[in-house]
Amino acid sequence: MEYNFRKIEQHWKEQWKEDKVYEVQNPPTSTASTSAGEALKPKCYVLDMFPYPSGVGLHVGHPLGYIASDIYARYKRLKGFNVLHTMGYDAFGLPAEQYAIEHGIHPAVSTEQNINNFRKQMDNVGFSFDWSREFRTSDPSYYKWTQWIFLQLFDSFFNRKNKKAERISVLVNAFEKEGNKTHACPGDPTLKFTADEWENFDEARRMDILMQYRLAYCGYGEVNWCEALGTVLANDEVINGLSERGGYPVVKKKLRQWYLRITEYADRLLEGLEKVDFSDAMKEMQTNWIGKSSGAEIDFAIGESADKLRVYTTRPDTIFGVDFMVIAPEHDLVASITTAGQQQAVDDYITYVKSRSERERMAEKKISGVFTGAYALNPFNQKKIPIWISEYVLAGYGTGAIMAVPCGDERDHKFAKFFNIPITNIIGKYYDGVEANPTKEAILENSDFLNGIVMKEAIEIVIRKIEETGIGMRKVNFKMRDAAFSRQRYWGEPFPIKWIDGVAYPLDEKELPLELPHVDSYKPGPEGEGPLANIKSWTDRHLETNTMPGYAGSSWYFLRYMDPHNNKTFCDRKISDYWNQVDLYIGGTEHAVGHLLYSRMWTKVLYDLDYIGFDEPYKKLLNQGMITGKSYFFSVYTEDNIDINKVKRHISSYNKKNPANISQRFKYGHRFVDNDGRLFRKIFEKGLSEELIEDPNLDIQWEKEGEEEFIYVEEVSEKMSKSKFNVDNPDDLVAKYGADTFRMYEMFLGPVEMSKPWDTKGIEGVHRFLKKLWRLFFDDVKGKVWTDEKATDAELKVLHRAIKKIEDDTERFSFNTGVSSFMIAVNELTDLKCNKKQVLESLLILLAPYAPHIAEELWHQLGHQSTVLDARYPLFEGKYVIESSKEYPISVNGKTRTTLNISLDAAQMDVEKIVLENEVIKKWLEGKAPKKIIYVKGKMVNVVV
RNA sequence: GCCCGGGUGGCGGAAUUGGUAGACGCAGCAGACUCAAAAUCUGCCGCCCACAAGGUGUGCUGGUUCGAUUCCAGUCCCGGGCACCA
């Protein structure tokens, strides 16, 4: 009997579906219910990051994380847990809308098709998702609750005293009693009013003030505006200041936008990191993103004018080293302080900056800036300081203005050198005139009352002085900004908001879901508004025309899986209390500072408002690495280097010494190039040439070796993508080798967390392993070979070593070494000619999470009636693997010279004796006495001479 | 530019806490079986030198240590993110 993986996998996929083996039971929500059997087990929630169902389907990089989580979910089930493992779709998004604009197909239609395709591909791999819990964010029964949560955010503010979200009604009560005395306004820190004033404000004014407090609020923000396309563009649709489509100019434009006041949660988001199991790198990225810093805000007088220039600095100790000020090009003071003489230069510079994306501005190495003509006065010594404008200062951070200290800050230093601004040295020998030195250890010089004080101590002294003299105040700042929460797009959740006389009012809960209306055109509305602004029935109702961004639906979806069909609430409290946090969350690091922070914030708000019982969504986060594709390029030479379009071109072998002047992509090269990087003429000419290269009108100069003609091509690792022609479809591999082989091979490639190149070459080896396993049960000629004989000690040793290793590896998500451990076990059992059910049965249970189909088939062949999914994970017993001695490496001065078999309970003295008698060691000692002998029990022996 | 990660044979990778570098697999080479092929099995397989002994080796330069792929400092290269792709 052969290993017929196609028949086996088909059969079990159908059988499992029929038996509903992956449906998971919730705990009973009412006391009347009695079927609490499953719910009594400990729970485990294993979740993959929500996929966006893109039109190109899954490539081999996508399932990596899904396979890892599936293995873990199945493993935990065997370990006796009630495992929630689910999948659904983050179905709103820009690509579907873009596709609609280009092809006239409604996003709902193309999204449905894409989802069907995704589902088919996922089913192929044999995941244990409970599909009865599937949903998509674009479904009104789901986004009803996204809108509902938005209303809770809208109706809440962050009470800084209690450090939690509370209802707006609490705030209104406080305003009525005492104005905003105890609730400083996060949206406008200068806002102060009394209870009387509040009493006398009209409705619009009150709503406006409350808006400054709400966790979901409306404000104004800059967007990428493309006049020619009449639309707002996403960052990645803008390339070098031009639109990706059409290459039209893109400028910044202020538009009304919704925001989430995530900055109020900055401290809680930081503290929360201490109680979750994320990688240090991930925690660091989030910490840096939040960017908490402490320092001071200091006001500088501007010449004779009444205006003050407020700067934020973390280094107030350097106040006497300030040689110039830099304000952001968007700074409010630009217009008023610029002198007539500098007006033209400033205008030109502002125009230039408007065409620059924030990314470009931060990444720019070239120094640029312009002098305003105005001077600020150092508040301590009244020194005149020129005020400059430069793009390296961003309007959104701090006060949008900095005091520049060239001797202590690298960017300020370069700026000063570039514009020939004189540099004051306040740190003596620490500054060499060539490079800035950001030290805090220097003793201050040229610093008035700070002279002779160490910088890090001066910080506190200056802040106190600043506060005493009223020229500024201590200030904690965050780099993180409030999250922009609206898009001028069609394919997203509508806001449950209507506008009456310029005031935003929430819809009543009963009006939810506010369904997305049908549109015939996806063209933007007037003035950069979204397509909804074109619909009369929508604007007649004064409904908000923006829609929510992609991360709205994905910020809380993990809760919905717990109770996906509930139409009374987003998730029953008893059920969320049971399933609680996600125990294992798997996804890419690209979500580090977007999705992960937003969903952490939403969870905290829902917790504060007492809708759920935990304030961190993900207990353990595992980041899967990217699988990169291999792309191949031809070297293309022109006869000379003048004009590649006119001169005849030819291709020859890629050669590092003689690099091409241009290169040409060899499409799907990963399927055709041999191990030495050669492309053979016979493959190329098998009618494939036109598909394989972008421009077939090229001469190829083949190299010859015997009969063979070939050229060398260049190999490059790139992100896998259909447009790069370097993808493989999992379906093809599953068809060829089966899902079990595919699953194990993806794991065998390397550690899940690491990015690695895709290569199908090794898949044969994994397939061979499964065939070899099969032969432990069935011989091609003899048929059934497994027996009921009692296992030997040697066989049990192999088994128990495997149990220990595979359990450890699975627990620490080291699936690649897990797969090799299976290979080792099967190799050893084959060598021992072990076909004993007693051993093989346990092995199958170990294997079931990794290769579920073959494990289930053989499990039934061994005579079991029930599924292997519910078997009991074998228990490791140490007694089978005990060793009494070890082959010790013996080194001299740290270099291994020989090995010796020594009893594991040997004492230092015994070991020294054995080692010194050894011929090899004697030779290395050359008759000298060893200085000392290091003996680490169970590890090694080192003789030091 | 800033933040994070990575760099080990021809290739993917292993070495879990500082203790035999290269497990397992691919590719390659030699052989067995076969009319032949496939499948399967056996052996070899970092580099240099090669009879052996040895030397050398985890991007690069240094350091700590009896001992460093592992820890520290510096440096180069590659990948991801940087707020409207998801």
Side-chain angles (χ1 to χ4, degrees):
Chain A
M1 207 169 127
E2 262 198 320
Y3 170 40
N4 185 341
F5 59 86
R6 286 193 191 90
K7 206 172 129 201
I8 292 169
E9 292 183 359
Q10 188 58 36
H11 171 251
W12 286 111
K13 270 173 201 162
E14 283 164 16
Q15 192 66 47
W16 286 331
K17 197 170 175 186
E18 199 182 310
D19 297 344
K20 299 185 169 165
V21 293
Y22 298 129
E23 283 191 19
V24 184
Q25 299 307 307
N26 274 347
T29 48
S30 70
T31 45
S33 180
T34 49
S35 62
E38 290 291 325
L40 292 176
K41 287 186 187 174
K43 69 92 191 185
C44 182
Y45 187 1
V46 180
L47 184 64
D48 296 284
M49 281 188 191
F50 228 9
Y52 174 78
S54 84
V56 295
L58 295 173
H59 62 61
V60 293
H62 295 117
L64 186 79
Y66 305 159
I67 295 171
S69 64
D70 197 61
I71 289 172
Y72 192 73
R74 289 170 182 272
Y75 165 77
K76 289 303 250 190
R77 179 170 173 170
L78 290 170
K79 280 284 196 175
F81 287 80
N82 188 26
V83 180
L84 181 59
H85 189 216
T86 49
M87 181 53 75
Y89 305 96
D90 191 10
F92 277 131
L94 205 47
E97 186 158 343
Q98 193 54 41
Y99 189 79
I101 292 170
E102 284 162 16
H103 299 92
I105 307 218
H106 195 277
V109 175
S110 59
T111 301
E112 176 71 23
Q113 285 168 354
N114 295 346
I115 286 176
N116 292 338
N117 184 35
F118 259 60
R119 176 63 191 275
K120 220 180 84 229
Q121 288 188 295
M122 284 197 266
D123 281 348
N124 231 343
V125 186
F127 294 124
S128 62
F129 297 125
D130 177 356
W131 284 108
S132 72
R133 293 171 184 254
E134 182 221 310
F135 55 81
R136 44 203 79 174
T137 53
S138 58
D139 193 324
S141 68
Y142 180 82
Y143 70 66
K144 171 182 179 175
W145 299 109
T146 308
Q147 291 172 333
W148 180 84
I149 295 172
F150 173 83
L151 290 181
Q152 312 314 309
L153 291 161
F154 183 82
D155 188 43
S156 305
F157 76 109
F158 190 81
N159 186 334
R160 291 179 179 177
K161 205 168 263 168
N162 300 336
K163 294 185 177 159
K164 62 184 282 235
E166 288 175 15
R167 291 295 177 179
I168 287 291
S169 59
V170 172
L171 193 61
V172 172
N173 281 339
F175 288 171
E176 283 165 357
K177 277 200 202 88
E178 50 169 34
N180 74 341
K181 201 167 70 189
T182 51
H183 296 289
C185 179
D188 178 6
T190 61
L191 181 71
K192 301 258 155 55
F193 57 84
T194 63
D196 278 350
E197 284 169 311
W198 175 259
E199 180 73 36
N200 292 316
F201 289 149
D202 63 11
E203 167 88 359
R205 177 79 176 120
R206 287 184 182 181
M207 287 300 274
D208 183 49
I209 289 171
L210 292 177
M211 193 62 103
Q212 307 288 321
Y213 285 85
R214 297 181 192 276
L215 288 179
Y217 68 96
C218 208
Y220 284 83
E222 288 196 327
V223 294
N224 300 310
W225 170 249
C226 180
E227 184 71 45
L229 295 171
T231 186
V232 173
L233 297 176
N235 280 341
D236 63 339
E237 294 178 302
V238 183
I239 296 161
N240 296 325
L242 300 175
S243 63
E244 189 181 27
R245 286 176 292 134
Y248 303 110
V250 176
V251 295
K252 292 279 159 49
K253 181 176 174 155
K254 273 210 167 178
L255 272 189
R256 186 174 59 70
Q257 301 280 9
W258 286 90
Y259 291 91
L260 297 184
R261 215 178 286 284
I262 193 171
T263 48
E264 290 289 296
Y265 275 90
D267 271 322
R268 293 259 305 271
L269 288 169
L270 278 177
E271 288 159 15
L273 288 175
E274 287 163 26
K275 53 185 180 187
V276 292
D277 185 3
F278 294 5
S279 70
D280 289 343
M282 173 62 60
K283 290 183 180 181
E284 217 169 316
M285 274 189 270
Q286 295 207 349
T287 303
N288 291 339
W289 182 262
I290 293 166
K292 184 174 185 171
S293 66
S294 49
E297 281 187 355
I298 308 174
D299 288 332
F300 286 65
I302 305 171
E304 314 291 283
S305 115
D307 285 328
K308 301 247 176 189
L309 178 56
R310 174 165 292 185
V311 301
Y312 172 72
T313 178
T314 57
R315 294 297 300 274
D317 53 311
T318 61
I319 185 100
F320 293 100
V322 177
D323 290 315
F324 58 103
M325 313 291 281
V326 187
I327 62 177
E330 298 84 356
H331 199 282
D332 286 341
L333 286 174
V334 168
S336 57
I337 65 172
T338 301
T339 58
Q342 287 300 101
Q343 194 63 53
Q344 189 58 47
V346 168
D347 288 349
D348 291 349
Y349 189 67
I350 302 288
T351 309
Y352 156 77
V353 171
K354 273 207 165 167
S355 72
R356 307 263 293 161
S357 74
E358 199 169 297
R359 180 98 50 90
E360 288 168 331
R361 285 173 58 173
M362 288 188 293
E364 185 58 71
K365 278 189 230 176
K366 236 173 45 213
I367 293 150
S368 75
V370 65
F371 179 43
T372 59
Y375 290 87
L377 297 176
N378 187 318
F380 287 113
N381 62 5
Q382 307 307 309
K383 187 179 149 190
K384 260 179 94 179
I385 308 166
I387 303 173
W388 288 70
I389 299 169
S390 177
E391 62 174 344
Y392 80 89
V393 174
L394 301 176
Y397 181 56
T399 60
I402 61 155
M403 51 179 233
V405 182
C407 71
D409 181 278
E410 198 46 48
R411 274 213 279 201
D412 297 347
H413 191 258
K414 287 197 174 120
F415 194 91
K417 287 277 183 193
F418 188 82
F419 288 109
N420 284 316
I421 301 168
I423 294 168
T424 309
N425 181 13
I426 52 169
I427 53 177
K429 64 176 194 294
Y430 283 85
Y431 173 59
D432 59 8
V434 182
E435 267 192 338
N437 186 343
T439 180
K440 287 183 185 174
E441 306 299 326
I443 295 163
L444 285 157
E445 299 175 12
N446 295 324
S447 292
D448 200 288
F449 65 92
L450 295 174
N451 281 336
I453 300 171
V454 177
M455 297 178 99
K456 57 184 177 191
E457 281 154 24
I459 295 175
E460 200 43 46
I461 297 170
V462 178
I463 293 178
R464 262 188 241 129
K465 187 101 172 179
I466 287 168
E467 289 196 312
E468 276 164 26
T469 50
I471 55 172
M473 56 187 174
R474 185 185 304 275
K475 175 86 186 188
V476 171
N477 236 331
F478 295 95
K479 215 180 274 165
M480 183 169 67
R481 309 197 290 254
D482 280 340
F485 194 66
S486 50
R487 302 291 182 260
Q488 292 68 50
R489 297 285 175 179
Y490 169 71
W491 193 231
E493 298 87 348
F495 283 89
I497 289 287
K498 61 186 156 207
W499 290 88
I500 298 167
D501 300 325
V503 176
Y505 290 94
L507 296 189
D508 192 275
E509 247 182 80
K510 288 189 207 76
E511 294 177 78
L512 302 183
L514 172 62
E515 291 203 30
L516 196 57
H518 182 80
V519 290
D520 294 313
S521 151
Y522 310 95
K523 296 264 159 2
E527 291 303 305
E529 284 180 85
L532 292 179
N534 295 326
I535 299 178
K536 193 158 181 303
S537 61
W538 194 263
T539 50
D540 280 352
R541 290 162 70 195
H542 307 289
L543 290 165
E544 168 67 56
T545 59
N546 282 314
T547 53
M548 296 186 201
Y551 63 84
S554 62
S555 289
W556 71 282
Y557 75 109
F558 73 99
L559 291 165
R560 191 63 181 173
Y561 281 133
M562 300 174 183
D563 194 10
H565 309 299
N566 197 328
N567 54 17
K568 300 212 169 53
T569 174
F570 70 102
C571 177
D572 189 279
R573 177 63 189 263
K574 280 206 185 80
I575 293 174
S576 66
D577 280 349
Y578 172 71
W579 288 113
N580 211 272
Q581 290 169 290
V582 176
D583 293 278
L584 175 66
Y585 194 37
I586 299 190
T589 39
E590 65 271 21
H591 299 285
V593 291
H595 160 66
L596 284 169
L597 281 175
Y598 303 134
S599 56
R600 290 183 60 217
M601 177 204 171
W602 284 44
T603 302
K604 288 181 190 306
V605 175
L606 290 171
Y607 170 80
D608 289 350
L609 299 177
D610 205 27
Y611 290 112
I612 55 174
F614 47 92
D615 78 337
E616 281 292 341
Y618 318 112
K619 194 190 261 178
K620 157 98 194 163
L621 174 69
L622 183 68
N623 294 114
Q624 100 227 26
M626 250 202 350
I627 295 193
T628 53
K630 278 185 189 163
S631 299
Y632 293 85
F633 293 88
F634 292 114
S635 290
V636 181
Y637 294 86
T638 58
E639 307 234 303
D640 53 48
N641 292 339
I642 300 166
D643 184 347
I644 55 164
N645 295 312
K646 287 182 187 155
V647 185
K648 185 167 178 181
R649 288 182 279 167
H650 59 81
I651 288 173
S652 61
S653 277
Y654 179 81
N655 179 347
K656 284 229 162 72
K657 283 183 214 140
N658 189 15
N661 48 28
I662 41 172
S663 59
Q664 181 94 16
R665 181 181 295 277
F666 170 29
K667 299 182 190 174
Y668 305 110
H670 62 293
R671 296 183 197 156
F672 303 106
V673 172
D674 84 344
N675 286 325
D676 297 325
R678 293 183 297 184
L679 168 64
F680 286 89
R681 183 168 190 170
K682 59 183 181 197
I683 291 171
F684 187 77
E685 285 178 354
K686 253 189 198 158
L688 290 167
S689 57
E690 281 193 25
E691 280 178 48
L692 297 182
I693 106 169
E694 284 164 342
D695 174 6
N697 300 315
L698 294 161
D699 278 353
I700 300 180
Q701 298 195 333
W702 300 101
E703 291 192 25
K704 280 189 189 147
E705 201 177 284
E707 291 293 292
E708 301 284 11
E709 287 183 274
F710 59 86
I711 58 169
Y712 285 101
V713 291
E714 183 191 14
E715 182 181 300
V716 173
S717 274
E718 294 186 295
K719 200 168 182 166
M720 261 200 187
S721 121
K722 204 175 183 184
S723 63
K724 294 185 164 77
F725 303 97
N726 61 359
V727 292
D728 278 322
N729 187 331
D731 296 347
D732 298 339
L733 292 159
V734 170
K736 195 163 174 196
Y737 298 102
D740 286 336
T741 298
F742 178 70
R743 290 166 63 102
M744 291 194 93
Y745 182 58
E746 285 241 345
M747 293 299 98
F748 190 56
L749 277 179
V752 223
E753 315 88 299
M754 231 116 272
S755 78
K756 49 203 162 277
W758 175 254
D759 190 346
T760 43
K761 289 195 183 89
I763 199 167
E764 288 283 354
V766 175
H767 193 61
R768 265 175 227 158
F769 152 74
L770 287 178
K771 285 199 278 190
K772 197 165 180 178
L773 169 87
W774 184 267
R775 283 198 299 274
L776 291 174
F777 297 77
F778 292 102
D779 183 277
D780 284 358
V781 184
K782 288 183 270 179
K784 172 192 149 201
V785 288
W786 57 267
T787 70
D788 286 317
E789 283 169 49
K790 202 169 175 304
T792 64
D793 285 350
E795 291 163 348
L796 288 170
K797 189 172 186 173
V798 172
L799 174 67
H800 282 269
R801 269 210 304 247
I803 295 173
K804 177 99 171 71
K805 184 71 166 64
I806 290 160
E807 185 171 346
D808 278 2
D809 285 349
T810 308
E811 287 282 356
R812 67 191 177 97
F813 313 107
S814 179
F815 304 110
N816 56 327
T817 54
V819 174
S820 4
S821 307
F822 281 116
M823 291 174 169
I824 292 168
V826 166
N827 286 346
E828 288 175 348
L829 291 176
T830 303
D831 289 346
L832 291 169
K833 297 193 170 42
C834 170
N835 310 98
K836 291 161 187 162
K837 184 176 168 181
Q838 190 194 345
V839 172
L840 298 182
E841 201 167 57
S842 293
L843 190 67
L844 286 179
I845 303 170
L846 296 179
L847 185 69
Y850 288 78
H853 308 86
I854 190 174
E856 185 80 297
E857 174 68 22
L858 291 171
W859 180 254
H860 280 76
Q861 292 287 351
L862 288 185
H864 291 278
Q865 299 301 314
S866 60
T867 172
V868 70
L869 300 169
D870 291 325
R872 272 180 56 192
Y873 206 79
L875 266 186
F876 169 69
E877 287 180 76
K879 66 180 179 193
Y880 294 113
V881 298
I882 290 169
E883 303 272 357
S884 60
S885 66
K886 179 188 160 67
E887 194 74 14
Y888 276 91
I890 316 295
S891 45
V892 177
N893 286 339
K895 281 198 167 62
T896 307
R897 296 302 177 185
T898 188
T899 58
L900 280 174
N901 198 289
I902 301 173
S903 161
L904 272 170
D905 45 46
Q908 172 90 21
M909 259 169 61
D910 309 330
V911 171
E912 288 189 12
K913 192 159 170 265
I914 297 167
V915 166
L916 293 176
E917 275 168 8
N918 179 271
E919 288 306 319
V920 180
I921 300 303
K922 269 188 191 163
K923 199 194 92 187
W924 280 98
L925 284 177
E926 293 170 328
K928 284 175 266 181
K931 271 191 198 141
K932 72 177 147 171
I933 294 174
I934 292 155
Y935 165 52
V936 182
K937 218 172 198 174
K939 296 278 187 192
M940 45 62 72
V941 179
N942 186 18
V943 183
V944 185
V945 231

